[in-house]
Amino acid sequence: MKNNIEEYMKRIDDVILSHLDGGHVSGTITEAGRYSIKSGGKRFRPYLLFAALDAFSTPLERGLKTAGAIEMIHTYSLIHDDLPAMDDDDLRRGNPTNHKVYGEAAAILAGDNLLTEAFQLIAGDEQLDPATRLEVIRIISNSAGHNGMIGGQMLDIEAENREISFEELEKIHKYKTGRLISAPVHTALVIAGAENHTASHLLSFSEYLGIIFQIRDDILDVTGDVKVTGKNTGSDARKDKVTYVSTFGLEGAKERMEQKVSLAEAELDAVSGTIDVTELKNVLNRFAIRDY
Amino acid sequence: MKNNIEEYMKRIDDVILSHLDGGHVSGTITEAGRYSIKSGGKRFRPYLLFAALDAFSTPLERGLKTAGAIEMIHTYSLIHDDLPAMDDDDLRRGNPTNHKVYGEAAAILAGDNLLTEAFQLIAGDEQLDPATRLEVIRIISNSAGHNGMIGGQMLDIEAENREISFEELEKIHKYKTGRLISAPVHTALVIAGAENHTASHLLSFSEYLGIIFQIRDDILDVTGDVKVTGKNTGSDARKDKVTYVSTFGLEGAKERMEQKVSLAEAELDAVSGTIDVTELKNVLNRFAIRDY
C-alpha cells in the first residue's frame, strides 16, 4: 500500500501549531508564530520530503516532524526577510506581513523562535533514532546557515541596487533558496537509508528543482496574479533586482526553466528502475511547471 | 590532576571563530559574526559550564563545543536585542553595536546565523555520543526558545513604558536571562552523567545564579563605569524600565542579591561531600559578587 501524502500534508500544520502552543511564557510569541504558519503557503518543502520518502516506501510518519521543522525554518526566513531593514514587504501570501501585525520587535523574536523551536522539534522526534536525528539536524542547520540560506540572503541584499553578473545571480539562488529546497530531499534520503547511487541522483534532482523554483518565482513576479500568488507583482523590478527575467527576458527565462525541468526529469529517470519516482514527478508538475 | 579552566577559556573564541570561518558564501556574514564574538564579553556561560564539568572531574574538552554554542546563542541574542526595533543600543561592551557597523540587515542575518550554526556546532561534536548531543541540543533549544530566552525577551519588551509588578519582573528575568544561565549547568550535568540528587542541587544553584546575575546587572546599570562595563549607564532609567533598583532602591537590590548568594552557596554546600564545588564557588566570586 502506498503512502497517503495528502493526509500528511494536512497534518503538517497541526504538528507545527501544536508545538508552538507548547510555548507558555509569552502569548505574543505563540500568536505571532501561529499567524505566519497559518497564513498559508504551498508547503512545497514538506510535500517534497514526503514525495522523496514515498519513493522508498518509507512511512511518512518518520518524516513528519522533520518536514514541520523545515517549514518552520522557511517561515522564519520569510518573517525576517519581510522586515523593513530587509525587503520591507507589507504583504505576504495575501496577508499583512508579520511585523505589520505584531510590530518589528515581535516579528524578529517570532522568527528567532521558529528557528530555535525547529531544532527542538527534531531533537524530540521519537520516530527517529538519535543518530538519524543528529544527521537531520546537521543537514538542516547546514542548509539554513552561513553555507546555505543565510549566506545567500546576505549576497542577495548586497546585490541590490548594483549590477551583478549572471554567475552571481545563480550563486545567490543556489544558497538563498536552493539549499533549503535540497534539504527535504537530503533529510528524506537519510531517514529512508538510501544507498549512495540513488541518493546522488535525487540530490541532483533537488538542485535542479531549486533553480526551477527560483526561475518560476522570477517569472511569477512579472506575470503572477496577486489574488493567486498573494504577492504584489513587479516588486523585483521596482527594487532593480537582477532576476532571470531581467537577464534573459520572459521567454528566455521560460526556456531556461524548461531546460532545467528536462534535466531534473532525467535524474529521476536514472533511478526509476529501483525506486518509485511517481510522487517526485508529481512535485515537478504540481509546484514547478504550473504557470499560474 | 584538576582541569585547567583558564586554558579552555582561551580556546572558546578559537572554537567559535574557526567555526564561523567555515562559512564560505558571504564574507559579510562571517565578518559580522566575528565582530560580535571578538568584541569581548566575560564568557560567563562557558566558564560556568567548565566549572560544573570540573566538579565531576569530567574533561573540559567534552564541553568545549557546547560552551561555544551557548556563547554563540548568547551573542546572537545581544545582536538582535540591540537592534533599533528592540532596545536600540549603539554601544555594547564599549564598541559600536553590530548593526551600527554592518547595518541592520546584516546584523539580523548575522544573529540568525550564530543561532543556526550553534546547533551545527553541537551536532558535529565528536566528543559526545549521539544521544548526549541530542540531549544537549534539546536543553539548549529549550532554554533559548519560547519557554526560555525568547519568551522572556518578548515579556520584557511588552513591559516597557508601563507599570509592572515585581512578580512580572521576576518572571521576565527567569526566562530572559535565567534559562540561558541554567543551560551551561544543565548541559554539563548531562555531559558528566550526574546522578539526580546532585543534579537537582546544581540546577537550583544555577537558578539562583541567574537571579543574582540579573540583580547585579540592574545595579551596574546605575553604578557601573562605562570604561569597565562597556555599557552606557542609566539606560534602564531612561527607558523607564522596572528593575531591581527601581523597585527596591540600590541598597534593597544589593540586600536581595546577598540573600540569593547565600541560597546559592547553600545548594553547593549540600553536594560538596560528593563533588568538588571549588570552581563553582569561584564562579560566584568571579562573576556574581564582584562589584565593579
Side-chain angles (χ1 to χ4, degrees), chain A residues 19 22-26 28 76 80 85 104-105 109 112-113 115-117 119-120 138 141-142 145-147 150 153-154 158 175, chain B residues 19 22-26 28 76 80 85 104-105 109 112-113 115-117 119-120 138 141-142 145-147 150 153-154 158 175:
Chain A
H19 185 86
H24 55 71
V25 177
S26 156
T28 308
Y76 116 75
H80 282 190
E104 275 185 65
L109 290 173
D112 291 344
N113 190 51
L115 173 58
T116 308
E117 294 298 332
F119 292 109
Q120 174 84 343
R138 205 151 31 171
S141 59
N142 193 254
H146 53 206
N147 289 323
I150 290 171
Q153 283 176 312
M154 194 67 238
E158 292 179 325
Y175 292 106
Chain B
H19 185 86
H24 55 70
V25 177
S26 156
T28 308
Y76 115 75
H80 282 190
E104 276 185 65
L109 290 173
D112 292 343
N113 190 51
L115 173 58
T116 309
E117 293 298 332
F119 292 108
Q120 174 85 343
R138 207 154 27 175
S141 58
N142 193 255
H146 52 206
N147 289 323
I150 289 172
Q153 283 177 313
M154 194 68 238
E158 292 179 324
Y175 293 106

Short mmCIF file of all heavy atoms in Angstrom, two decimals, chain A residues 19 22-26 28 76 80 85 104-105 109 112-113 115-117 119-120 138 141-142 145-147 150 153-154 158 175, chain B residues 19 22-26 28 76 80 85 104-105 109 112-113 115-117 119-120 138 141-142 145-147 150 153-154 158 175:
data_model
loop_
_atom_site.label_atom_id
_atom_site.label_comp_id
_atom_site.label_asym_id
_atom_site.label_seq_id
_atom_site.Cartn_x
_atom_site.Cartn_y
_atom_site.Cartn_z
N HIS A 19 3.20 22.30 18.41
CA HIS A 19 4.50 22.59 19.03
C HIS A 19 4.54 24.05 19.52
O HIS A 19 4.98 24.32 20.63
CB HIS A 19 5.66 22.32 18.08
CG HIS A 19 6.99 22.50 18.74
ND1 HIS A 19 7.61 21.51 19.46
CD2 HIS A 19 7.79 23.60 18.86
CE1 HIS A 19 8.73 21.98 19.99
NE2 HIS A 19 8.88 23.24 19.62
N GLY A 22 2.90 24.83 22.70
CA GLY A 22 3.65 24.42 23.89
C GLY A 22 4.44 25.56 24.53
O GLY A 22 5.00 25.40 25.60
N GLY A 23 4.45 26.70 23.88
CA GLY A 23 5.13 27.88 24.45
C GLY A 23 4.21 28.58 25.42
O GLY A 23 3.16 29.07 25.02
N HIS A 24 4.56 28.59 26.70
CA HIS A 24 3.63 29.10 27.71
C HIS A 24 4.10 30.39 28.38
O HIS A 24 3.50 30.85 29.35
CB HIS A 24 3.36 28.02 28.77
CG HIS A 24 4.61 27.49 29.41
ND1 HIS A 24 5.37 28.24 30.28
CD2 HIS A 24 5.26 26.31 29.29
CE1 HIS A 24 6.41 27.54 30.66
NE2 HIS A 24 6.38 26.37 30.08
N VAL A 25 5.19 30.99 27.89
CA VAL A 25 5.70 32.20 28.55
C VAL A 25 5.09 33.47 27.97
O VAL A 25 4.61 34.33 28.70
CB VAL A 25 7.25 32.26 28.45
CG1 VAL A 25 7.77 33.55 29.06
CG2 VAL A 25 7.87 31.05 29.14
N SER A 26 5.11 33.58 26.65
CA SER A 26 4.59 34.80 26.01
C SER A 26 3.52 34.44 24.99
O SER A 26 3.80 33.77 23.98
CB SER A 26 5.73 35.55 25.31
OG SER A 26 5.22 36.36 24.27
N THR A 28 2.21 36.45 22.96
CA THR A 28 2.51 37.13 21.70
C THR A 28 3.40 36.29 20.79
O THR A 28 3.19 36.23 19.58
CB THR A 28 3.21 38.49 21.98
OG1 THR A 28 2.42 39.21 22.91
CG2 THR A 28 3.36 39.29 20.71
N TYR A 76 10.30 31.25 9.25
CA TYR A 76 11.10 32.26 9.96
C TYR A 76 11.86 33.14 8.96
O TYR A 76 11.96 34.37 9.14
CB TYR A 76 12.06 31.61 10.97
CG TYR A 76 13.54 31.79 10.68
CD1 TYR A 76 14.18 33.02 10.92
CD2 TYR A 76 14.30 30.76 10.14
CE1 TYR A 76 15.53 33.19 10.63
CE2 TYR A 76 15.64 30.92 9.85
CZ TYR A 76 16.26 32.13 10.08
OH TYR A 76 17.58 32.31 9.78
N HIS A 80 11.67 37.31 8.70
CA HIS A 80 12.83 38.21 8.77
C HIS A 80 13.06 38.91 7.43
O HIS A 80 13.40 40.10 7.40
CB HIS A 80 14.07 37.43 9.22
CG HIS A 80 14.11 37.17 10.70
ND1 HIS A 80 15.20 36.68 11.36
CD2 HIS A 80 13.16 37.35 11.67
CE1 HIS A 80 14.94 36.56 12.65
NE2 HIS A 80 13.70 36.94 12.86
N ALA A 85 14.12 46.47 7.51
CA ALA A 85 15.57 46.52 7.27
C ALA A 85 16.00 45.56 6.16
O ALA A 85 17.11 45.68 5.64
CB ALA A 85 16.32 46.18 8.55
N GLU A 104 7.71 45.21 14.77
CA GLU A 104 9.01 44.68 14.36
C GLU A 104 9.68 43.81 15.41
O GLU A 104 10.25 42.76 15.11
CB GLU A 104 9.96 45.84 14.02
CG GLU A 104 9.83 46.34 12.61
CD GLU A 104 10.88 47.38 12.32
OE1 GLU A 104 12.08 47.03 12.33
OE2 GLU A 104 10.52 48.55 12.11
N ALA A 105 9.62 44.25 16.66
CA ALA A 105 10.31 43.51 17.71
C ALA A 105 9.74 42.10 17.83
O ALA A 105 10.48 41.10 17.85
CB ALA A 105 10.20 44.24 19.05
N LEU A 109 11.56 38.41 17.04
CA LEU A 109 11.59 37.34 18.03
C LEU A 109 10.78 36.12 17.59
O LEU A 109 11.20 34.97 17.84
CB LEU A 109 11.06 37.85 19.38
CG LEU A 109 11.98 38.85 20.09
CD1 LEU A 109 11.29 39.42 21.33
CD2 LEU A 109 13.30 38.18 20.50
N ASP A 112 13.05 34.30 15.27
CA ASP A 112 14.08 33.63 16.07
C ASP A 112 13.51 32.37 16.71
O ASP A 112 14.17 31.33 16.80
CB ASP A 112 14.59 34.55 17.19
CG ASP A 112 15.39 35.74 16.66
OD1 ASP A 112 15.81 35.71 15.49
OD2 ASP A 112 15.58 36.71 17.43
N ASN A 113 12.27 32.49 17.17
CA ASN A 113 11.65 31.38 17.88
C ASN A 113 11.36 30.20 16.96
O ASN A 113 11.62 29.04 17.31
CB ASN A 113 10.35 31.83 18.55
CG ASN A 113 9.82 30.78 19.48
OD1 ASN A 113 10.54 30.27 20.34
ND2 ASN A 113 8.57 30.38 19.30
N LEU A 115 12.94 29.38 14.34
CA LEU A 115 14.23 28.76 14.06
C LEU A 115 14.68 27.88 15.24
O LEU A 115 15.07 26.72 15.07
CB LEU A 115 15.28 29.85 13.76
CG LEU A 115 16.73 29.42 13.60
CD1 LEU A 115 16.91 28.38 12.49
CD2 LEU A 115 17.62 30.64 13.30
N THR A 116 14.61 28.44 16.42
CA THR A 116 15.05 27.71 17.62
C THR A 116 14.20 26.46 17.85
O THR A 116 14.72 25.36 18.08
CB THR A 116 14.94 28.62 18.87
OG1 THR A 116 15.61 29.85 18.60
CG2 THR A 116 15.55 27.96 20.08
N GLU A 117 12.89 26.63 17.76
CA GLU A 117 11.98 25.53 18.07
C GLU A 117 11.98 24.45 16.99
O GLU A 117 11.60 23.31 17.24
CB GLU A 117 10.56 26.06 18.30
CG GLU A 117 10.43 26.93 19.56
CD GLU A 117 10.76 26.19 20.86
OE1 GLU A 117 10.59 24.96 20.92
OE2 GLU A 117 11.22 26.86 21.81
N PHE A 119 14.64 23.15 15.80
CA PHE A 119 15.64 22.18 16.26
C PHE A 119 15.12 21.39 17.46
O PHE A 119 15.41 20.21 17.61
CB PHE A 119 16.96 22.90 16.57
CG PHE A 119 17.63 23.42 15.33
CD1 PHE A 119 17.69 24.78 15.07
CD2 PHE A 119 18.16 22.54 14.40
CE1 PHE A 119 18.28 25.26 13.90
CE2 PHE A 119 18.76 23.00 13.24
CZ PHE A 119 18.82 24.37 12.99
N GLN A 120 14.35 22.06 18.31
CA GLN A 120 13.71 21.38 19.44
C GLN A 120 12.77 20.28 18.93
O GLN A 120 12.73 19.18 19.47
CB GLN A 120 12.94 22.43 20.26
CG GLN A 120 12.11 21.89 21.40
CD GLN A 120 12.93 21.68 22.65
OE1 GLN A 120 14.15 21.64 22.62
NE2 GLN A 120 12.27 21.53 23.76
N ARG A 138 22.02 18.18 11.42
CA ARG A 138 23.23 18.63 10.74
C ARG A 138 22.91 19.13 9.32
O ARG A 138 23.37 20.20 8.91
CB ARG A 138 24.23 17.49 10.66
CG ARG A 138 25.58 18.04 10.56
CD ARG A 138 26.67 17.27 11.09
NE ARG A 138 26.68 15.86 11.11
CZ ARG A 138 27.79 15.22 11.44
NH1 ARG A 138 28.87 15.93 11.73
NH2 ARG A 138 27.82 13.93 11.49
N SER A 141 20.71 22.47 9.64
CA SER A 141 21.44 23.67 10.07
C SER A 141 22.46 24.08 9.01
O SER A 141 22.70 25.27 8.80
CB SER A 141 22.12 23.46 11.44
OG SER A 141 23.01 22.38 11.42
N ASN A 142 23.01 23.10 8.33
CA ASN A 142 23.93 23.42 7.24
C ASN A 142 23.20 24.13 6.08
O ASN A 142 23.72 25.09 5.51
CB ASN A 142 24.60 22.14 6.75
CG ASN A 142 25.78 22.42 5.85
OD1 ASN A 142 25.71 22.25 4.65
ND2 ASN A 142 26.86 22.91 6.44
N GLY A 145 22.19 27.81 7.35
CA GLY A 145 23.19 28.69 7.94
C GLY A 145 24.08 29.41 6.94
O GLY A 145 23.67 29.69 5.81
N HIS A 146 25.33 29.68 7.37
CA HIS A 146 26.19 30.52 6.53
C HIS A 146 26.58 29.87 5.21
O HIS A 146 26.92 30.57 4.28
CB HIS A 146 27.42 31.02 7.30
CG HIS A 146 28.25 30.00 8.00
ND1 HIS A 146 29.00 30.30 9.10
CD2 HIS A 146 28.45 28.67 7.77
CE1 HIS A 146 29.64 29.21 9.51
NE2 HIS A 146 29.31 28.22 8.73
N ASN A 147 26.55 28.54 5.14
CA ASN A 147 26.80 27.89 3.85
C ASN A 147 25.51 27.50 3.14
O ASN A 147 25.50 26.63 2.26
CB ASN A 147 27.71 26.68 4.03
CG ASN A 147 29.13 27.12 4.36
OD1 ASN A 147 29.60 28.13 3.82
ND2 ASN A 147 29.81 26.41 5.25
N ILE A 150 21.22 31.58 4.81
CA ILE A 150 21.65 32.89 5.33
C ILE A 150 22.77 33.48 4.49
O ILE A 150 22.76 34.68 4.18
CB ILE A 150 22.06 32.78 6.82
CG1 ILE A 150 20.81 32.54 7.68
CG2 ILE A 150 22.79 34.05 7.28
CD1 ILE A 150 21.11 32.22 9.13
N GLN A 153 21.08 34.88 1.47
CA GLN A 153 20.31 36.10 1.74
C GLN A 153 21.20 37.32 1.83
O GLN A 153 20.86 38.40 1.37
CB GLN A 153 19.51 35.94 3.05
CG GLN A 153 18.26 35.08 2.88
CD GLN A 153 17.57 34.86 4.21
OE1 GLN A 153 18.21 34.51 5.20
NE2 GLN A 153 16.26 35.03 4.24
N MET A 154 22.36 37.11 2.46
CA MET A 154 23.30 38.23 2.58
C MET A 154 23.80 38.65 1.20
O MET A 154 23.86 39.85 0.90
CB MET A 154 24.46 37.82 3.49
CG MET A 154 25.31 38.98 3.96
SD MET A 154 24.43 40.11 5.08
CE MET A 154 24.57 41.66 4.21
N GLU A 158 23.27 42.34 -0.63
CA GLU A 158 24.41 43.12 -1.12
C GLU A 158 24.36 43.35 -2.63
O GLU A 158 25.05 44.21 -3.16
CB GLU A 158 25.73 42.44 -0.71
CG GLU A 158 25.93 42.51 0.80
CD GLU A 158 27.21 41.83 1.29
OE1 GLU A 158 27.60 40.80 0.70
OE2 GLU A 158 27.80 42.33 2.25
N TYR A 175 22.20 29.35 -2.96
CA TYR A 175 22.24 29.33 -1.50
C TYR A 175 20.94 29.85 -0.88
O TYR A 175 20.42 29.25 0.05
CB TYR A 175 23.45 30.13 -0.99
CG TYR A 175 24.75 29.45 -1.35
CD1 TYR A 175 25.56 29.94 -2.36
CD2 TYR A 175 25.12 28.28 -0.71
CE1 TYR A 175 26.74 29.30 -2.71
CE2 TYR A 175 26.29 27.63 -1.05
CZ TYR A 175 27.10 28.13 -2.05
OH TYR A 175 28.24 27.48 -2.39
N HIS B 19 34.79 27.98 13.64
CA HIS B 19 33.52 27.52 13.04
C HIS B 19 32.96 28.59 12.09
O HIS B 19 32.53 28.27 10.97
CB HIS B 19 32.50 27.16 14.11
CG HIS B 19 31.24 26.58 13.51
ND1 HIS B 19 31.11 25.25 13.20
CD2 HIS B 19 30.09 27.17 13.10
CE1 HIS B 19 29.92 25.04 12.64
NE2 HIS B 19 29.28 26.19 12.58
N GLY B 22 34.39 28.81 8.72
CA GLY B 22 33.95 27.77 7.79
C GLY B 22 32.82 28.23 6.87
O GLY B 22 32.43 27.51 5.95
N GLY B 23 32.31 29.43 7.10
CA GLY B 23 31.28 29.98 6.21
C GLY B 23 31.95 30.60 5.00
O GLY B 23 32.69 31.55 5.13
N HIS B 24 31.69 30.05 3.81
CA HIS B 24 32.42 30.50 2.63
C HIS B 24 31.55 31.19 1.59
O HIS B 24 31.99 31.50 0.50
CB HIS B 24 33.16 29.31 1.99
CG HIS B 24 32.25 28.16 1.64
ND1 HIS B 24 31.33 28.22 0.65
CD2 HIS B 24 32.12 26.93 2.21
CE1 HIS B 24 30.68 27.08 0.58
NE2 HIS B 24 31.12 26.28 1.52
N VAL B 25 30.28 31.45 1.93
CA VAL B 25 29.38 32.06 0.93
C VAL B 25 29.42 33.59 1.01
O VAL B 25 29.59 34.26 0.00
CB VAL B 25 27.93 31.55 1.12
CG1 VAL B 25 26.99 32.24 0.14
CG2 VAL B 25 27.87 30.04 0.91
N SER B 26 29.27 34.13 2.20
CA SER B 26 29.23 35.59 2.36
C SER B 26 30.28 36.05 3.37
O SER B 26 30.21 35.71 4.55
CB SER B 26 27.84 36.03 2.83
OG SER B 26 27.93 37.27 3.50
N THR B 28 30.57 38.96 4.51
CA THR B 28 29.93 39.86 5.47
C THR B 28 29.37 39.09 6.66
O THR B 28 29.51 39.53 7.82
CB THR B 28 28.79 40.66 4.79
OG1 THR B 28 29.31 41.28 3.61
CG2 THR B 28 28.23 41.71 5.72
N TYR B 76 24.16 36.02 19.69
CA TYR B 76 23.09 36.35 18.72
C TYR B 76 21.98 37.14 19.41
O TYR B 76 21.44 38.10 18.86
CB TYR B 76 22.54 35.08 18.06
CG TYR B 76 21.08 34.76 18.37
CD1 TYR B 76 20.04 35.49 17.78
CD2 TYR B 76 20.73 33.76 19.28
CE1 TYR B 76 18.71 35.22 18.09
CE2 TYR B 76 19.42 33.48 19.59
CZ TYR B 76 18.40 34.21 19.00
OH TYR B 76 17.09 33.96 19.31
N HIS B 80 20.53 40.89 18.24
CA HIS B 80 19.13 41.20 17.94
C HIS B 80 18.53 42.17 18.97
O HIS B 80 17.76 43.05 18.62
CB HIS B 80 18.31 39.90 17.87
CG HIS B 80 18.48 39.16 16.57
ND1 HIS B 80 17.70 38.08 16.20
CD2 HIS B 80 19.35 39.34 15.54
CE1 HIS B 80 18.08 37.65 15.01
NE2 HIS B 80 19.09 38.38 14.60
N ALA B 85 14.67 48.21 16.42
CA ALA B 85 13.30 47.77 16.72
C ALA B 85 13.18 47.16 18.11
O ALA B 85 12.08 47.02 18.64
CB ALA B 85 12.82 46.75 15.68
N GLU B 104 21.55 47.14 9.58
CA GLU B 104 20.53 46.31 10.23
C GLU B 104 20.32 44.96 9.59
O GLU B 104 20.18 43.94 10.27
CB GLU B 104 19.18 47.05 10.22
CG GLU B 104 19.02 48.02 11.36
CD GLU B 104 17.62 48.61 11.34
OE1 GLU B 104 16.66 47.85 11.54
OE2 GLU B 104 17.50 49.83 11.12
N ALA B 105 20.28 44.94 8.26
CA ALA B 105 20.01 43.67 7.58
C ALA B 105 21.09 42.64 7.92
O ALA B 105 20.79 41.49 8.28
CB ALA B 105 19.94 43.89 6.06
N LEU B 109 20.78 39.05 10.04
CA LEU B 109 21.24 37.78 9.46
C LEU B 109 22.42 37.19 10.24
O LEU B 109 22.51 35.97 10.42
CB LEU B 109 21.62 37.97 7.99
CG LEU B 109 20.45 38.22 7.05
CD1 LEU B 109 20.95 38.56 5.64
CD2 LEU B 109 19.52 37.00 6.99
N ASP B 112 20.87 35.55 13.19
CA ASP B 112 20.24 34.30 12.74
C ASP B 112 21.30 33.22 12.53
O ASP B 112 21.10 32.05 12.85
CB ASP B 112 19.49 34.51 11.42
CG ASP B 112 18.27 35.41 11.56
OD1 ASP B 112 17.80 35.61 12.70
OD2 ASP B 112 17.79 35.91 10.53
N ASN B 113 22.42 33.65 11.96
CA ASN B 113 23.47 32.69 11.64
C ASN B 113 24.12 32.10 12.88
O ASN B 113 24.35 30.89 12.96
CB ASN B 113 24.53 33.35 10.76
CG ASN B 113 25.50 32.33 10.22
OD1 ASN B 113 25.09 31.33 9.65
ND2 ASN B 113 26.80 32.57 10.42
N LEU B 115 22.80 31.68 15.72
CA LEU B 115 21.83 30.73 16.29
C LEU B 115 21.84 29.42 15.52
O LEU B 115 21.93 28.33 16.10
CB LEU B 115 20.44 31.38 16.28
CG LEU B 115 19.24 30.51 16.68
CD1 LEU B 115 19.40 29.92 18.07
CD2 LEU B 115 17.94 31.31 16.60
N THR B 116 21.76 29.52 14.20
CA THR B 116 21.73 28.32 13.36
C THR B 116 23.01 27.50 13.51
O THR B 116 22.97 26.28 13.70
CB THR B 116 21.57 28.72 11.88
OG1 THR B 116 20.47 29.61 11.76
CG2 THR B 116 21.34 27.50 11.00
N GLU B 117 24.14 28.19 13.44
CA GLU B 117 25.43 27.49 13.47
C GLU B 117 25.76 26.93 14.86
O GLU B 117 26.58 26.02 14.98
CB GLU B 117 26.55 28.41 12.97
CG GLU B 117 26.43 28.77 11.48
CD GLU B 117 26.51 27.58 10.54
OE1 GLU B 117 27.16 26.58 10.90
OE2 GLU B 117 25.89 27.62 9.45
N PHE B 119 23.74 25.19 16.59
CA PHE B 119 23.23 23.81 16.55
C PHE B 119 24.10 22.93 15.66
O PHE B 119 24.31 21.75 15.94
CB PHE B 119 21.76 23.80 16.10
CG PHE B 119 20.86 24.42 17.13
CD1 PHE B 119 20.27 25.66 16.94
CD2 PHE B 119 20.63 23.77 18.34
CE1 PHE B 119 19.46 26.23 17.91
CE2 PHE B 119 19.81 24.33 19.33
CZ PHE B 119 19.22 25.57 19.11
N GLN B 120 24.59 23.51 14.58
CA GLN B 120 25.52 22.78 13.71
C GLN B 120 26.78 22.37 14.49
O GLN B 120 27.28 21.25 14.35
CB GLN B 120 25.89 23.71 12.53
CG GLN B 120 26.95 23.19 11.60
CD GLN B 120 26.37 22.27 10.53
OE1 GLN B 120 25.27 21.78 10.64
NE2 GLN B 120 27.15 22.03 9.51
N ARG B 138 18.55 19.55 22.89
CA ARG B 138 17.23 19.71 23.47
C ARG B 138 17.23 20.73 24.61
O ARG B 138 16.37 21.60 24.67
CB ARG B 138 16.75 18.37 23.99
CG ARG B 138 15.27 18.35 23.98
CD ARG B 138 14.58 17.11 23.86
NE ARG B 138 15.13 15.89 24.32
CZ ARG B 138 14.38 14.80 24.27
NH1 ARG B 138 13.15 14.87 23.81
NH2 ARG B 138 14.87 13.65 24.66
N SER B 141 17.98 24.35 23.01
CA SER B 141 16.87 24.94 22.24
C SER B 141 15.71 25.27 23.18
O SER B 141 15.02 26.27 22.99
CB SER B 141 16.43 24.03 21.09
OG SER B 141 16.02 22.77 21.55
N ASN B 142 15.54 24.45 24.20
CA ASN B 142 14.50 24.74 25.19
C ASN B 142 14.81 26.01 25.98
O ASN B 142 13.93 26.84 26.23
CB ASN B 142 14.34 23.54 26.12
CG ASN B 142 13.09 23.63 26.96
OD1 ASN B 142 13.15 23.92 28.14
ND2 ASN B 142 11.94 23.44 26.34
N GLY B 145 14.41 29.12 23.47
CA GLY B 145 13.20 29.30 22.69
C GLY B 145 12.04 29.93 23.44
O GLY B 145 12.23 30.72 24.37
N HIS B 146 10.81 29.52 23.04
CA HIS B 146 9.62 30.19 23.60
C HIS B 146 9.42 29.94 25.09
O HIS B 146 8.77 30.72 25.76
CB HIS B 146 8.35 29.89 22.80
CG HIS B 146 8.04 28.45 22.54
ND1 HIS B 146 7.30 28.04 21.45
CD2 HIS B 146 8.36 27.32 23.22
CE1 HIS B 146 7.17 26.72 21.49
NE2 HIS B 146 7.80 26.27 22.54
N ASN B 147 9.95 28.83 25.60
CA ASN B 147 9.88 28.62 27.05
C ASN B 147 11.17 29.02 27.76
O ASN B 147 11.45 28.58 28.88
CB ASN B 147 9.52 27.17 27.35
CG ASN B 147 8.07 26.88 27.00
OD1 ASN B 147 7.22 27.75 27.20
ND2 ASN B 147 7.79 25.71 26.46
N ILE B 150 13.67 33.62 24.50
CA ILE B 150 12.81 34.40 23.59
C ILE B 150 11.50 34.76 24.26
O ILE B 150 11.02 35.89 24.15
CB ILE B 150 12.57 33.63 22.26
CG1 ILE B 150 13.87 33.62 21.45
CG2 ILE B 150 11.45 34.27 21.46
CD1 ILE B 150 13.83 32.75 20.21
N GLN B 153 12.29 37.62 26.51
CA GLN B 153 12.56 38.88 25.78
C GLN B 153 11.27 39.55 25.33
O GLN B 153 11.14 40.76 25.38
CB GLN B 153 13.45 38.60 24.56
CG GLN B 153 14.91 38.40 24.92
CD GLN B 153 15.74 38.04 23.70
OE1 GLN B 153 15.34 37.18 22.91
NE2 GLN B 153 16.87 38.67 23.55
N MET B 154 10.33 38.72 24.91
CA MET B 154 9.05 39.27 24.48
C MET B 154 8.32 39.91 25.67
O MET B 154 7.79 41.02 25.55
CB MET B 154 8.20 38.16 23.85
CG MET B 154 7.00 38.68 23.07
SD MET B 154 7.46 39.58 21.56
CE MET B 154 6.68 41.17 21.87
N GLU B 158 7.27 43.90 26.09
CA GLU B 158 5.89 44.29 26.36
C GLU B 158 5.74 45.02 27.70
O GLU B 158 4.74 45.68 27.94
CB GLU B 158 4.97 43.07 26.30
CG GLU B 158 4.86 42.53 24.87
CD GLU B 158 3.98 41.29 24.76
OE1 GLU B 158 3.99 40.46 25.69
OE2 GLU B 158 3.31 41.16 23.73
N TYR B 175 13.09 33.95 32.61
CA TYR B 175 13.16 33.43 31.25
C TYR B 175 14.19 34.15 30.40
O TYR B 175 14.98 33.54 29.71
CB TYR B 175 11.77 33.49 30.59
CG TYR B 175 10.82 32.53 31.26
CD1 TYR B 175 9.81 32.97 32.10
CD2 TYR B 175 10.96 31.16 31.06
CE1 TYR B 175 8.95 32.08 32.72
CE2 TYR B 175 10.11 30.26 31.68
CZ TYR B 175 9.11 30.72 32.52
OH TYR B 175 8.29 29.83 33.13
#
